[in-house]
Every structure is written in structure tokens, then in C-alpha cells.
Amino acid sequence: MLAFTAPRHAIPALTMLGAALLLSACAPMNARYSQEQLPNAVKVPDGHQVAMQTVGVGKIAYECKAKKDMTGHEWVFVGPDAALNDRSGMQVGTYVGPPATWANLDGSKVMATQMAVVPAGAGNIPYQLVKANPATGNGAMQGVSYIQRVATSGGVAPSSPCGMESIGAKQWVPYQADYIFWKAA
């Protein structure tokens, strides 16, 4: 086995290089979030700043039901069940419903009212903007005023048949989305 011993004068340079690599690996967590590329309907109003960025990874339940106009059957959204992870992949909370509830592992949680949705491409649940109700519990969710769902992947209703023979059947569909939490500046 070969061993490498750096010359004494090279150690500070190697230490600096290691520190720079470590900081660059963390850059996505600290990267400034921009709404520039989002449709106007899901942009958070001026006067707010990002409080927390998470990646929701989970599944959405759908149930086969008769259409409201009684012209057939369809898969109807029931609710999500997802882990909220920080940008490094560590779980910091959960997102479940109904009612839609974002909870931080520190015990704080918030529910919200939908303001807008915008299509996010075939096979992906839409972008969404919700206005938060006052949070319960002390922690990261205190003061959250808006939540955006962006960068969505998957989560749309199943493509499997939904008919009279499958009324009441439920299916879980995997999805992922970024949830951006905003507070008043």
C-alpha cells in the first residue's frame, strides 16, 4: 500500500482546498431562491423573503369515485403523505392531508388556503401558491405567510381504469416537489 505524505508547506493549501470543496458541496442549501422563472399566478407578493426551502418526497392518494355530474368515474385527489427534507436530504418535517398540513420536526405546523395553481408539464402535479393560516407551536413555521410548490415531478392521477367495478379503490402515486416557505420581510 502506498502512502502519501504532503510536504509541510502544502498542508495549509490542502486545508484551504478541502474547506473550499466542503463549502461548494453545501452551496445548494445556501443558494438564493429566485421566482423569476415562475408564472405570475404562483409568485409570492413583494415584501416577503424565503424562510425555508424543502424538498417534499412522498406519495399522493387518489380514490376512484363517480363524477359529480354522474357521467362516469374518475380518480379524485385524496391527499399527500410526504417527508420534507432540507437541501442536503435530511428530514426536517412532514406534509400530510387532508387538511393540508406542513409540520416541522420542531413541533410547529401550518395549514393553508390555496391561492393559485399553474400546470407544470405532462405527468406532474401543478405549481401551487397557498396563503398560510397562523402557525401552531413554536418553531420554524411561526410567521410563515406563503408556501410555494414548485419543481414538481409526478403525482398526477393514476392512468389505470376507474369504473363502476373499482369505486372506492385507492391508489398511491409517487411524487416530489420543492416547498418554499415565505415570511414577511
Side-chain angles (χ1 to χ4, degrees), residues 107-130:
S108 61
K109 64 182 175 180
V110 66
M111 291 183 265
T113 303
Q114 182 172 281
M115 304 294 293
V117 292
V118 174
N124 302 319
I125 56 174
Y127 294 156
Q128 180 184 49
L129 177 65
V130 298

Side-chain angles (χ1 to χ4, degrees), residues 15-93:
T15 302
M16 292 293 287
L17 176 62
L21 289 172
L22 181 61
L23 287 174
S24 68
C26 295
M29 284 178 41
N30 300 326
R32 184 168 166 82
Y33 177 77
S34 172
Q35 301 189 91
E36 287 181 24
Q37 302 301 316
L38 294 177
N40 287 335
V42 294
K43 286 184 179 178
V44 172
D46 291 339
H48 294 84
Q49 62 188 13
V50 173
M52 180 172 50
Q53 299 181 43
T54 64
V55 179
V57 179
K59 56 193 176 190
I60 297 174
Y62 288 89
E63 183 176 350
C64 181
K65 293 186 175 185
K67 289 184 178 181
K68 290 181 182 180
D69 65 6
M70 304 305 277
T71 61
H73 304 85
E74 64 186 344
W75 289 104
V76 176
F77 174 87
V78 175
D81 182 6
L84 296 177
N85 302 322
D86 65 17
R87 296 286 189 200
S88 68
M90 180 179 293
Q91 185 173 359
V92 296

Side-chain angles (χ1 to χ4, degrees), residues 109-112 131-137 141-145:
K109 64 182 175 180
V110 66
M111 291 183 265
K131 182 153 181 50
N133 298 325
T136 59
M141 296 298 183
Q142 281 295 321
V144 168
S145 48

